């Protein structure tokens, strides 16, 4: 747990546990709204609880005055091209009230420490092309941007499957 003292009410970063799923879900909803992405609350907290309990998902909460104000989440993966393990920063989100107080940096430090401890050689993530504030923050961390296009293919039977007409 890390306490940040540069805000009026101290911010605390701590590892999320399965019981935090119900606090994490509303932050995910706010994050989805911020990034203009669809979100469905139905069963979301339960799926987060299972993912946290199984170790499939690792997350940290940023709290201020006991209230959740942000989060970061990571999954572990393997890169075929480099032949090495990497950590994927799936989400990093702070509520507007928690921004510019050091919480983002503290969350990233927690993520990096975890990724290193797991033997990851890199931390990778993406951000929307319009999120200039995030890009400036990541550049200050020393992160390097790579131009790529992100794709999503639904696997739930909705839409066309590969090779079908």
């Amino acid at each position: 747990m890390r306490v940040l003292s540069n805000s009026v009410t101290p911010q605390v970063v701590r590892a999320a546990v399965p019981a935090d799923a119900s606090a994490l879900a509303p932050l995910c909803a706010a994050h989805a709204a911020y990034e203009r992405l669809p979100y469905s609350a139905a069963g979301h907290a339960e799926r987060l609880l299972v993912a946290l309990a199984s170790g499939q998902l690792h997350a940290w909460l940023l709290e201020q005055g006991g209230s959740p104000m942000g989060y970061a989440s990571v999954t572990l993966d393997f890169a075929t091209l480099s032949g090495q393990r990497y950590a994927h920063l799936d989400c990093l989100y702070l509520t507007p009230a928690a921004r510019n107080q050091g919480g983002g940096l503290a969350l990233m430090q927690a993520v990096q420490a975890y990724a290193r401890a797991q033997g990851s050689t890199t931390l990778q993530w993406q951000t929307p092309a319009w999120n200039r504030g995030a890009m400036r923050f990541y550049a200050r961390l020393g992160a390097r941007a790579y131009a790529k296009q992100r794709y999503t293919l639904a696997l739930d039977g909705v839409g066309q499957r590969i090779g079908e007409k």
Side-chain angles (χ1 to χ4, degrees):
M1 180 168 59
R2 180 169 180 210
V3 178
L4 308 172
S5 60
N6 61 340
S7 59
V8 176
T9 304
Q11 293 180 329
V12 175
V13 171
R14 65 173 180 81
V17 297
D20 292 318
S22 60
L24 189 55
L27 289 169
C28 292
H31 188 186
Y34 177 75
E35 289 201 5
R36 305 171 199 142
L37 298 170
Y39 176 81
S40 174
H44 186 227
E46 292 80 9
R47 290 188 303 275
L48 289 173
L49 186 147
V50 169
L52 287 165
S54 70
Q56 180 181 8
L57 178 69
H58 308 276
W60 294 262
L61 285 172
L62 173 70
E63 295 176 332
Q64 192 168 13
S67 297
M69 302 295 285
Y71 74 104
S73 61
V74 170
T75 58
L76 299 173
D77 210 330
F78 186 84
T80 306
L81 293 178
S82 68
Q84 296 180 323
R85 187 176 209 181
Y86 72 95
H88 175 253
L89 176 68
D90 186 54
C91 293
L92 174 64
Y93 176 75
L94 282 75
T95 62
R99 294 179 188 153
N100 300 309
Q101 298 179 44
L105 178 60
L107 284 166
M108 286 297 286
Q109 288 171 337
V111 165
Q112 289 175 56
Y114 172 78
R116 282 187 192 103
Q118 299 305 307
S120 296
T121 58
T122 60
L123 178 64
Q124 300 179 20
W125 66 93
Q126 63 274 326
T127 196
W130 53 261
N131 196 344
R132 300 288 181 212
M135 290 179 205
R136 286 189 299 273
F137 171 69
Y138 298 141
R140 284 193 306 270
L141 293 177
R144 182 176 174 186
Y146 290 91
K148 287 192 174 191
Q149 183 64 43
R150 180 179 180 175
Y151 291 88
T152 300
L153 179 64
L155 300 175
D156 60 3
V158 178
Q160 188 174 348
R161 288 190 173 87
I162 296 173
E164 292 182 357
K165 294 184 181 189

